[in-house]
């Protein structure tokens, strides 16, 4: 009886132990499953990429070109001695403004005054001979008519009168030449402008047998800007019916020029292109272009180099997009266009000239379409995107 009771208790104890082990195993399994679910990598939900878009618009776009240029005086005149002699006086301060006709130098006049006086005396003598011959002829003619003088006497009187008149004319011409030569001893300025330092000192022998250059006068109230453009620039302008250097009454704009000063600032006045060379320099492949620019304050100095910015063309109602939105590769240029259903198209375009931070699009995109300006490096053709309006980009200069 005791043995049976003992076996019964052992059986109950074993059953309880088995259930405890089973519960423990279940708990461990549940914990393991929970830990596995906790550590399991979470699958991310794929979302369309966010891109910045900008609508395409039209505007009048100015096309500029930049070139290296040089300032040149509108007039640069050398003052030279036209007669030989010693330089006696100077009547100007070097580097100052002088007027047209102002006396600058005096060359020794003694020899030329003497020649002028001699020529004047010769003229007086010739004039007296002419008057005598005229009186002689006046006396002979009525005597001839009365048969009191022969034909030979009349012919001799007429010949003497004509010869005397000719000698008077020669003497008058000699006096004019002598006075003109005398006037050359007073050297005057041919134009108004700024005079340089003198090239000859007082006492120097100047003229044909000596030093002829005395000074230079520069007129710089307006200056000329010389620069060179390429043959490609010329061809592109011709394709747009723009003749560089020629006025066009049918054109609403003129190719103006601005220059940069030595401190990097832009000169406030504009100039107009008034000349373009009709031929290309074969050594450089460029042709010369000239613009005239006002210089009222004489800020621009002849001879200095500058950077020239030229308005070459104006595109009316042109489509331009930010340069950062255009991708260039070996096959061409393309942009991403966002359709109304937020799907992007990789569209190839034909690009035109650059204008500031923008590029003109000749073909491939229409006004009103949205293009991707940022984030297109992660895009593929036909991909769905989340478009967001981008900040307004700097537009190009318009008229």
């Amino acid at each position: 009886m005791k043995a049976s009771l003992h076996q019964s208790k052992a059986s109950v104890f074993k059953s309880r132990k088995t259930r405890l082990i089973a519960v423990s195993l279940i708990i461990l399994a549940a914990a393991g499953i929970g830990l596995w679910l906790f550590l399991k990598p979470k699958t991310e939900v794929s979302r369309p990429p966010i891109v910045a878009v900008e609508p395409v618009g039209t505007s009048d776009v100015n096309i500029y070109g930049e070139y290296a240029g040089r300032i040149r005086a509108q007039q640069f005149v050398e003052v030279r001695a036209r007669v030989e002699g010693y330089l006696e006086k100077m009547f100007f301060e070097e580097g100052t403004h002088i007027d047209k006709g102002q006396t600058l130098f005096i060359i020794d006049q003694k020899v030329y005054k003497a020649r002028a006086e001699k020529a004047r005396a010769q003229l007086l003598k010739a004039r007296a001979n002419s008057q005598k011959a005229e009186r002689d002829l006046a006396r002979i003619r009525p005597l001839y008519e009365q048969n009191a003088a022969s034909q030979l006497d009349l012919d001799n009187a007429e010949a003497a009168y004509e010869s005397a008149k000719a000698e008077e004319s020669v003497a008058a011409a000699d006096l004019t030449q002598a006075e003109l030569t005398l006037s050359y001893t007073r050297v005057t300025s041919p134009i108004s402008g700024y005079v340089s330092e003198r090239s000859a000192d007082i006492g120097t022998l100047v003229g044909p047998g000596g030093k002829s250059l005395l000074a230079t006068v520069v007129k710089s109230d307006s200056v000329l800007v010389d620069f060179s453009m390429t043959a490609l620039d010329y061809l592109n302008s011709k394709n747009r019916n723009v003749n560089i250097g020629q006025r066009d009454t049918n054109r609403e704009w003129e190719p103006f020029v601005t220059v940069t000063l030595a401190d990097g600032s832009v000169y406030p006045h504009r100039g107009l292109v008034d000349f373009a060379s009709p031929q290309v320099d074969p050594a450089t492949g460029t042709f010369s272009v000239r613009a005239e620019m006002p210089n009222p304050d004489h800020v621009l100095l002849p001879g200095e180099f500058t950077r020239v910015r030229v308005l070459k063309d104006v595109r009316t109602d042109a489509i331009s997009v930010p340069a950062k939105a255009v991708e260039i590769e070996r096959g061409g240029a393309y942009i991403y266009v966002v359709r109304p259903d937020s799907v992007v198209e990789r569209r190839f375009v034909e690009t035109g000239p650059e204008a500031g931070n923008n590029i003109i699009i000749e073909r491939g995109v229409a006004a009103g379409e949205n293009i991707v300006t940022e984030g297109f490096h992660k895009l593929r053709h036909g991909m769905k995107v989340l478009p967001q309006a981008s900040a307004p980009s700097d537009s190009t200069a318009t008229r």
Side-chain angles (χ1 to χ4, degrees):
M1 185 69 179
K2 290 183 179 179
S4 176
L5 183 60
H6 179 75
Q7 289 179 354
S8 177
K9 290 181 178 180
S11 177
V12 172
F13 176 77
K14 185 176 181 180
S15 176
R16 289 179 178 175
K17 184 177 180 180
T18 301
R19 285 197 298 271
L20 182 61
I21 293 173
V23 171
S24 299
L25 290 175
I26 292 173
I27 293 173
L28 289 175
I33 293 173
L35 181 62
W36 178 78
L37 292 175
F38 178 77
L39 296 178
K40 179 182 178 182
K42 295 180 176 62
T43 303
E44 295 184 356
V45 178
S46 176
R47 296 181 58 190
I50 299 175
V51 294
V53 299
E54 182 177 316
V56 176
T58 60
S59 62
D60 293 351
V61 181
N62 292 352
I63 307 301
Y64 294 94
E66 291 196 0
Y67 310 92
R70 185 175 65 88
I71 306 298
R72 178 162 56 94
Q74 187 183 42
Q75 285 185 282
F76 182 88
V77 180
E78 294 181 340
V79 180
R80 293 183 177 272
R82 303 178 68 175
V83 294
E84 185 175 281
Y86 291 99
L87 202 62
E88 285 192 339
K89 296 179 182 180
M90 185 178 77
F91 296 95
F92 67 92
E93 293 184 10
E94 298 166 312
T96 60
H97 187 274
I98 58 175
D99 297 322
K100 180 179 179 180
Q102 180 177 334
T103 301
L104 304 180
F105 299 95
I106 292 292
I107 300 174
D108 185 15
Q109 299 178 327
K110 291 188 286 291
V111 173
Y112 302 101
K113 282 183 177 181
R115 291 176 182 175
E117 291 297 328
K118 180 181 179 180
R120 187 174 291 106
Q122 293 288 351
L123 175 60
L124 293 175
K125 179 181 179 181
R127 188 170 294 160
N129 293 334
S130 174
Q131 292 173 352
K132 179 180 181 301
E134 184 179 9
R135 289 192 299 268
D136 292 343
L137 178 61
R139 285 193 298 269
I140 291 295
R141 187 171 284 122
L143 294 176
Y144 171 76
E145 294 174 353
Q146 298 173 7
N147 293 324
S150 66
Q151 181 68 44
L152 179 60
D153 293 334
L154 178 63
D155 291 343
N156 289 338
E158 288 179 345
Y161 173 70
E162 294 296 335
S163 178
K165 292 295 292 183
E167 289 179 358
E168 182 182 359
S169 297
V170 171
D174 289 341
L175 177 60
T176 300
Q177 183 176 8
E179 289 178 339
L180 183 62
T181 304
L182 175 61
S183 69
Y184 290 158
T185 60
R186 183 178 294 273
V187 182
T188 61
S189 175
I191 61 172
S192 298
Y194 285 86
V195 64
S196 68
E197 63 179 347
R198 65 181 185 273
S199 299
D201 294 327
I202 302 301
T204 303
L205 179 65
V206 297
K211 189 177 181 64
S212 62
L213 180 62
L214 305 180
T216 56
V217 182
V218 177
K219 183 179 180 181
S220 57
D221 294 335
S222 60
V223 295
L224 302 177
V225 183
D226 296 323
F227 57 97
S228 296
M229 300 180 70
T230 65
L232 180 59
D233 291 328
Y234 177 81
L235 180 61
N236 291 336
S237 297
K238 292 295 291 185
N239 291 337
R240 293 280 301 165
N241 295 321
V242 177
N243 294 317
I244 299 175
Q246 300 179 15
R247 297 293 180 89
D248 189 350
T249 56
N250 297 323
R251 193 170 55 206
E252 296 181 359
W253 58 275
E254 290 295 337
F256 67 83
V257 171
T258 58
V259 299
T260 302
L261 300 178
D263 59 359
S265 62
V266 178
Y267 185 61
H269 298 284
R270 292 179 175 180
L272 290 178
V273 175
D274 62 353
F275 169 78
S277 175
Q279 63 182 4
V280 173
D281 184 353
T284 60
T286 61
F287 63 99
S288 300
V289 184
R290 183 187 69 198
E292 184 176 352
M293 181 166 292
N295 189 30
D297 300 323
H298 301 94
V299 175
L300 301 177
L301 297 177
E304 69 175 320
F305 289 90
T306 183
R307 191 169 73 251
V308 181
R309 192 166 186 253
V310 186
L311 176 63
K312 300 191 298 183
D313 194 7
V314 176
R315 298 290 188 94
T316 57
D317 296 329
I319 293 177
S320 62
V321 301
K324 62 182 180 180
V326 181
E327 281 290 305
I328 307 295
E329 60 180 25
R330 187 171 298 177
Y334 67 89
I335 59 176
Y336 280 100
V337 179
V338 181
R339 300 191 318 217
D341 58 358
S342 299
V343 174
V344 294
E345 292 182 3
R346 189 171 186 261
R347 189 180 299 177
F348 284 89
V349 294
E350 180 181 342
T351 59
E354 296 186 8
N357 295 326
N358 287 18
I359 296 179
I360 292 179
I361 302 299
E362 305 285 4
R363 295 179 184 85
V365 67
E369 292 187 299
N370 288 321
I371 61 171
V372 179
T373 58
E374 294 181 12
F376 54 82
H377 299 289
K378 54 189 175 183
L379 299 182
R380 298 188 309 275
H381 179 77
M383 177 182 288
K384 191 85 170 180
V385 296
L386 293 177
Q388 290 185 355
S390 63
S393 60
D394 294 336
S395 61
T396 56
T398 58
R399 282 190 298 139

